[in-house]
């Protein structure tokens, strides 16, 4: 090992950025209590209150100010949905103690085809989770620090891309899901939100009720949208609150024993908190005095736009108060954390799909930081593309969201029904009924989302899911075909001989060293010179007699002055004269130490290798000689 | 040759665009009479009247309208310069019947260092010739068809880049300098210009002289510029008329016998025509009624701007008359032809410099179209860069021009003096005096140009010439050092043995075929497997026992899951255990037919080759197996 050359500069830079490699033997997971499990698994679900309530109001206001009152009923419906789906997933936790992601549950019970639909839906949704969470986090930051917009060019896009890069980088470095680290932003968010909401409610209850608001209908709008459609659309918008609710069921093995019990507890705590925050925010949003009220939320393009959370915090504690900044800081933090969970989940799911042959195999390879680095890069690039395409606008991204989640929910719950029917353990009928009900409910919600948000963007996801599904199958077919082609069906074909062709453009130290290499091969050895400059030929031939060690020199004319074509022709001639022969073309290549020195030499080996790429039984070997 | 695979799509596209290759045996030149020699060699010189007169007036107007009268004296001085330099070059023609370019004459007589200064100056000037000629040609086109500016985005830049690409492409296709083809634009330009000038003079002489023009001084300007400086600067601007005058002397062998006599005749005809056109244009420009007069020329940014030639044609025959379009069409054509001559000269000079080791060697390689394709591409890219940097503005490019030309003139004439002093033939003193006078005159003009145009852009060329010169020397030093390093100073180092390492990620048709290849090598053979997935190992070992033909299988652990690092470590271990051994690492690579299929396979061979690049005595050979 003494003379291993030092690593290159680029390698050393990457190593310095990403830190020391992590051996496979260290692939352990810390075991989590519910207290620490909540931060790890709930950031995606809890952080959705940062946009879900606002999204509902943003739809209702299209109808009329009076219609904002429907928000209460929609919120209640969504909380009911949270409860039912949580109960459904409780069952998954107990049935799949080793982790019951939708892809696994659906594949297991409904066959690989259905599993792949769930997989496609989930992959798309993880990308959207990153884009939506980061965009919402940037909105929170810009609500707290609106001046950033003046100092940063296209702040929403620039900051979003920065955070995506940051989270991707942290994951490439091998960031582990760590309960204690994640606890600060998650509990900070929960506590500060509870304080703001609690204080806001006290505030509202203490204020004597003003005169009943004159709820003027929004002129010209209500005629265009039937009431039912708008209410359903608002409900669909609110369903984004449910994204991430399945996270706990994926990660049961990460909990302390008894795993299923602790995971179940965590799910209950999370659902309760989500319901409380969601209902509380809705209540305050409706009862704030008008100048803080929901009217503001439709003007997302207004330079003075603030998120609903910022308005609620300002209502309770005043603009620019300590609590105002605190709650927004924790909101941004938990949203970035939510993006981070997708960076753990997407590469993991992609690696499962790659292992099964539905995605390129290298997505299943863990890098030296013990992370699926290729998956991280793919996710980061896809989310960044979404941010750029949608200009970092949260209200443009949200309609795409939740379609994938509810597809996966529906299929996973349906899979659970099949599971119970096969299992037939104690109380299986009750369990099957619960999951069946959940599945049908999710399917209904999915239809509502797809129908009411179709033209706003859901169509894109509805097209993408079958496209990704088709890609899975195309890749699988290709890998199957490759495996079949690579089967050893007959005894290996013995070559009829071997010819080593040593290219000799000039006779120098490098070519002479290459000759020594050529002599290490069995069979025939020929030196080949392509002559472009006839005048230099006699000198070359004389030198070859001196140094060529009796290896014959073949001189190839080049009427068109190409260095490559005569070699190709000569190789083809040997192949047709002596069928079944193996040919090695040996090229001596100069290796310079500096990049600018490389500009002075032509890399004939690379060109030749490319040109010979389609010929069977021909190998290009290039020896190197070193210059300083 | 039966089973040569069909050429790739990209190769076929290039072939279709560039046409069939031309064999070296067809490298003949047509022999030219003076009648056909004129079109080939004079386009650069003659076309300069399209901008030189205008440039003089553009400077004088800075002083005052009255100062425009100096134009006559400046024109006479420039015609004198043309005469003296032509006589000087007559001598070069006779002394260098095989072609006396400035680089050759200066190197021959004043040593390679001086020759390289001339070479650097000329290379820069050829790039400027392309940029200036094309920009002037586009000005002519836009004068004729001003509406193009509305339809083409940034028309001056876009059209200039289009013409550069067109001429570069024609040269890559192997366009030959053909007297009969070039005759049409050249004689078309000469004749139409003579008609326009002749008719214009008749027109002026017939018109009764109006009242003497009130020549108001331009307020506030004359104080800032001393008279002498402005007049010299106008003279310097007019010196661009002399660019290209040396072309005939470079190409003496292209003429019919007696070559020198015919070349001499051509030079005389060209100089006379140039003088006539130049003086004639100056006369009309000064005597046109005011609304056509030189006042217009300062407003190059005005959307209604027309070149001086366009104004003169309009003066004689009317705007939008047949002659107006004819003369502008031929002007554009001869300017594009002038750019074309640079595309013949630059690659030729670059190939001479490359042959002598002052530029990368591949610039001296002729492609299969018998042209120096690399030189053409470099010139095209450099000229395009100039157009983009200077926004296609002729008046910004002109101050850079002529510095290089007069540097080359000065050195070439000085070289001729040395030539005569050594030669001492009949009348050598007279010849030496003529060239000496020419050389000193050119030096004086060079100083005037450099001084008066320094801040307008000449400084850039004055910096670039020594920089290019320094680059020549750096390249030469590197090539000399390479040659020295490649000298065979001792008997070639005999390797102590050979080890073939066959990488076996899995056992399949491809690896088994690679094993057959590995057996074609002398010495030891080992199969190497890097294990990442421990579970797959027993199956692999069993299969290897079946197909491995008793070649031992070395299993390398990979604690950090890298496929590359364990191989590197193992190679280093062999190298330190057995010094002087040659190692071949054999990698079987899958070759897919479609590009998207390649996305599914990793190219480990390439990564490995890169990683092993710095290790001596290690060769990566990759065998290929084909998938469909």
């Amino acid at each position: 090992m003494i003379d291993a050359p030092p690593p290159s500069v680029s390698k050393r830079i990457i190593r310095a950025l990403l830190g020391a490699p992590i051996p496979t033997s260290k692939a352990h997971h810390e075991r989590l209590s519910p207290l620490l499990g909540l931060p790890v698994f709930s950031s995606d679900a809890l952080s959705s209150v940062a946009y879900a309530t606002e999204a509902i109001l943003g739809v209702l206001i299209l109808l009329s100010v009076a219609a904002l009152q429907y928000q209460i009923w929609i919120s209640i419906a969504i909380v009911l949905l949270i409860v039912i789906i949580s109960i459904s997933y409780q069952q998954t936790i107990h049935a799949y103690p080793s982790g019951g992601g939708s892809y696994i549950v659906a594949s297991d019970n409904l066959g690989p085809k259905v599993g792949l639909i769930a997989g496609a839906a989930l992959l798309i949704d993880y990308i959207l989770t990153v884009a939506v969470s980061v965009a919402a986090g940037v909105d929170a930051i810009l609500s707290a620090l609106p001046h950033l917009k003046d100092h940063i060019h296209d702040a929403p896009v620039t900051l979003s891309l920065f955070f995506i890069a940051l989270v991707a980088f942290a994951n490439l470095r091998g960031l582990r899901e760590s309960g204690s680290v994640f606890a600060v932003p998650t509990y900070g968010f929960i506590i500060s939100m509870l304080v703001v909401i609690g204080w806001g409610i006290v505030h509202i209850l203490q204020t004597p009720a003003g005169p009943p608001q004159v709820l003027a209908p929004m002129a010209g709008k209500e005629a265009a949208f039937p009431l039912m459609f708008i209410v359903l659309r608002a409900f669909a918008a609110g369903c984004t609150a449910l994204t991430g609710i399945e996270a706990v069921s994926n990660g049961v093995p990460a909990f302390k024993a008894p795993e299923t019990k602790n995971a179940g507890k965590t799910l209950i705590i999370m659902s309760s908190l989500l319901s409380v925050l969601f209902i509380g925010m809705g209540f305050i949003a409706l009862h704030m005095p008008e100048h803080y009220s929901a009217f503001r939320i439709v003007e997302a393009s207004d330079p003075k736009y603030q998120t609903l959370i910022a308005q609620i915090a300002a209502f309770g504690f005043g603009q620019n108060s300590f609590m105002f900044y605190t709650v927004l800081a924790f909101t941004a933090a938990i949203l970035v954390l939510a993006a981070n969970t997708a960076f753990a989940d997407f590469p993991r799911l992609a690696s499962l799909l790659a292992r099964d042959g539905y995605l390129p195999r290298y997505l299943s390879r863990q890098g030296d930081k013990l992370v699926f680095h290729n998956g991280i890069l793919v996710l980061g690039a896809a989310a960044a593309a979404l941010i750029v395409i949608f200009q970092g606008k949260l209200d443009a991204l949200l309609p795409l969201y939740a379609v994938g989640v509810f597809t996966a929910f529906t299929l996973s719950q349906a899979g659970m029904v099949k599971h119970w029917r096969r299992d037939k353990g104690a109380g299986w009928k009750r369990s099957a009924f619960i999951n069946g009900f959940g599945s049908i409910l999710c399917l209904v919600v999915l239809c509502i989302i797809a129908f009411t948000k179709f033209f706003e963007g859901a169509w894109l996801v509805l097209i993408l899911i079958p496209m990704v599904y088709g890609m899975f199958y195309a890749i699988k077919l290709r890998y199957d075909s490759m495996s079949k082609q690579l089967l050893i069906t007959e005894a290996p074909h013995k070559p009829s001989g071997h010819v080593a062709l040593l290219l000799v453009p000039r006779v120098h130290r490098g070519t002479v060293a290459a000759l020594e290499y050529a002599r290490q091969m069995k069979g025939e050895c020929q030196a080949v010179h392509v002559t472009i400059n006839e005048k230099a030929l006699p000198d070359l031939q004389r030198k070859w007699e001196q140094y060529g060690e009796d290896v014959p020199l073949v001189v190839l004319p080049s009427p068109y002055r190409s260095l490559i074509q005569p070699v190709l022709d000569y190789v083809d001639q040997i192949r047709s004269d002596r069928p079944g022969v193996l040919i090695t073309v040996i090229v001596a290549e100069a290796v310079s130490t500096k990049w600018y020195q490389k500009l002075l030499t032509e890399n004939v080996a690379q060109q030749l290798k490319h040109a010979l790429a389609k010929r069977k039984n021909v190998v290009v070997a290039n020896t190197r000689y070193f210059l300083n």
Side-chain angles (χ1 to χ4, degrees), chain A:
Chain A
M1 309 244 189
I2 15 174
D3 66 348
S8 65
V9 175
S10 60
K11 204 152 205 171
R12 271 180 288 170
I13 291 173
I14 289 176
R15 178 61 61 233
L17 286 172
L18 295 186
I22 302 170
T24 311
S25 55
K26 290 216 175 149
H28 76 286
H29 277 286
E30 68 178 317
R31 291 311 191 97
L32 302 164
S33 62
L35 192 74
L36 291 180
L38 191 70
V40 169
F41 293 109
S42 73
S43 60
D44 186 9
L46 291 181
S47 67
S48 56
V49 299
Y51 42 81
T53 308
E54 191 167 341
I56 297 174
L57 295 172
V59 174
L60 289 176
I61 199 83
L62 293 176
L63 202 58
S64 71
V65 175
L68 291 178
Q69 307 295 339
Y70 288 114
Q71 202 262 348
I72 293 292
W73 303 107
I74 291 170
S75 294
I76 290 171
I78 284 170
V79 168
L80 268 176
L81 202 56
I82 293 173
V83 171
I84 293 166
I85 292 178
S86 297
I87 294 172
S88 257
Y89 269 105
Q90 280 288 359
Q91 303 206 132
T92 306
I93 288 173
H94 289 278
Y96 282 86
S98 62
S102 302
Y103 172 60
I104 289 171
V105 174
S107 304
D108 242 31
N109 298 299
L110 304 174
K113 288 189 186 182
V114 180
L116 287 178
I117 298 175
L122 281 172
L123 284 188
I124 292 168
D125 229 77
Y126 288 138
I127 298 169
L128 281 162
T129 299
V130 174
V132 164
S133 302
V134 163
V138 169
D139 276 354
I141 291 171
L142 293 178
S143 294
L145 307 166
H147 295 301
L148 285 182
K149 285 182 214 168
D150 305 328
H151 299 299
I152 301 174
H153 172 74
D154 201 359
V157 172
T158 308
L159 287 176
S160 295
L161 293 179
F162 168 76
F163 282 112
I164 290 174
L166 189 77
V167 175
F169 174 73
N171 278 276
L172 285 176
R173 255 197 86 103
L175 174 81
R176 314 304 299 275
E177 285 160 345
S178 157
S180 41
V181 173
F182 287 16
V184 178
T186 307
Y187 285 111
F189 176 75
I190 293 170
I191 293 167
S192 63
M193 280 299 284
L194 287 176
V195 168
V196 163
I197 289 172
W199 186 248
I201 291 174
V202 169
H203 219 68
I204 287 166
L205 295 182
Q206 282 181 341
T207 316
Q213 278 184 277
V214 183
L215 296 174
M218 302 269 287
K221 292 248 176 169
E222 81 274 43
F225 297 100
L227 172 69
M228 193 61 194
F229 182 79
I230 289 288
V231 171
L232 286 179
R233 196 162 129 187
F235 171 74
C239 284
T240 52
L242 279 98
T243 56
I245 207 166
E246 82 290 2
V248 175
S249 69
N250 292 347
V252 184
F255 285 90
K256 274 191 185 151
E259 288 87 356
T260 52
K261 212 172 157 191
N262 280 324
K265 257 191 214 167
T266 308
L267 178 55
I268 293 172
I269 300 171
M270 182 179 83
S271 304
S272 313
L273 279 169
L274 179 57
S275 303
V276 168
L277 295 181
F278 190 66
I279 289 281
M281 272 193 63
F283 179 80
I284 299 179
L286 278 187
H287 293 85
M288 283 195 294
E290 201 188 304
H291 73 280
Y292 281 118
S293 89
F295 280 103
R296 299 283 301 277
I297 63 175
V298 286
E299 313 159 30
S301 57
D302 190 309
K304 289 188 181 168
Y305 164 77
Q306 281 191 333
T307 63
L308 185 61
I309 287 187
Q311 293 178 47
I312 290 176
F315 164 67
F317 293 88
Q319 202 82 288
N320 306 331
S321 61
F322 174 75
M323 267 315 283
F324 175 79
Y325 288 117
T326 304
V327 81
L328 286 176
F330 279 123
T331 304
I334 199 175
L335 282 162
V336 170
L337 214 56
N340 183 71
T341 61
F343 271 96
D345 293 339
F346 179 99
R348 193 151 42 208
L349 177 55
S351 81
L352 289 179
L353 286 160
R355 192 198 58 194
D356 296 349
Y358 294 107
L359 279 177
R361 287 254 163 74
Y362 43 78
L363 287 170
S364 72
R365 277 248 319 275
Q366 284 180 307
D368 60 9
K369 302 297 302 183
L370 208 56
V371 295
F372 300 104
H373 52 290
N374 291 316
I376 293 171
L377 294 173
V378 169
L379 174 62
L386 273 185
I387 288 291
V388 170
I389 292 169
F390 290 93
Q391 293 282 299
K393 282 180 191 146
L394 185 61
D395 46 352
L397 283 164
L398 278 176
L400 280 69
Y401 205 28
V403 176
V405 177
F406 276 88
T407 305
F409 283 177
T410 306
L411 297 176
S412 154
Q413 302 297 326
M416 287 306 295
V417 176
K418 192 80 181 281
H419 172 86
W420 299 123
R421 282 168 62 102
R422 209 169 37 201
D423 181 72
K424 304 214 173 177
W428 72 270
K429 284 191 179 172
R430 192 179 138 273
S431 298
F433 175 78
I434 292 174
N435 281 128
F437 183 71
S439 176
I440 289 167
L441 193 65
C442 287
L443 182 63
V444 171
V445 172
L446 174 62
C447 291
I448 293 174
I449 296 172
F451 177 64
T452 59
K453 292 174 161 188
F454 188 82
F455 290 108
E456 281 181 284
W459 63 270
L460 187 60
V461 179
L462 290 171
I463 288 172
L464 275 177
I465 290 176
M467 275 177 66
V468 171
Y469 179 81
M471 183 186 75
F472 287 161
Y473 259 84
I475 290 174
K476 176 74 172 171
L477 278 176
R478 176 65 187 160
Y479 274 131
D480 286 349
S481 146
M482 280 170 68
S483 300
K484 212 180 242 170
Q485 289 181 59
L486 288 176
L487 278 181
I488 306 171
T489 49
E490 52 193 8
H493 183 73
K494 292 278 170 196
S496 68
H498 182 263
V499 179
L501 299 179
L502 172 65
L503 291 201
V504 182
R506 281 172 298 160
V507 180
H508 55 54
R509 188 166 61 77
T511 12
V512 169
L515 175 63
E516 291 308 321
Y517 180 74
R519 307 216 89 168
Q520 299 304 321
M521 314 196 100
K522 293 176 192 163
E524 204 181 326
C525 181
Q526 300 179 5
V528 172
H529 174 72
V530 177
T531 176
I532 287 175
N533 181 0
E534 295 278 350
K535 287 178 206 155
L537 188 56
D539 181 52
L540 179 111
Q541 283 170 319
R542 202 170 46 245
K543 274 198 184 156
W544 190 252
E545 264 169 43
Q546 187 182 349
Y547 295 106
E549 301 184 9
D550 298 325
V551 169
L553 179 70
V554 179
V555 175
L556 301 176
S558 180
Y560 299 104
R561 296 162 306 282
S562 162
L563 289 175
I564 306 287
Q565 194 59 47
V567 178
L568 298 189
D569 293 342
Y570 190 61
V571 164
D572 288 339
Q573 194 190 316
I574 295 177
R575 289 167 71 223
S576 77
D577 288 354
R578 299 161 62 178
V581 78
L582 286 181
I583 300 172
T584 304
V585 181
I586 299 165
V587 191
E589 188 185 24
V591 179
S592 302
T593 33
K594 307 276 183 241
W595 65 266
Y596 51 82
Q597 295 174 341
K598 285 178 193 153
L599 296 177
L600 298 183
T601 49
E602 273 186 298
N603 192 343
V604 178
Q606 206 50 41
Q607 292 175 42
L608 199 61
K609 202 186 141 186
H610 189 75
L612 283 167
K614 284 180 187 159
R615 285 165 173 82
K616 283 186 189 177
N617 297 335
V618 182
V619 175
V620 177
N622 65 309
T623 64
R624 285 171 284 229
Y625 52 95
F626 294 80
L627 302 170
N628 50 34

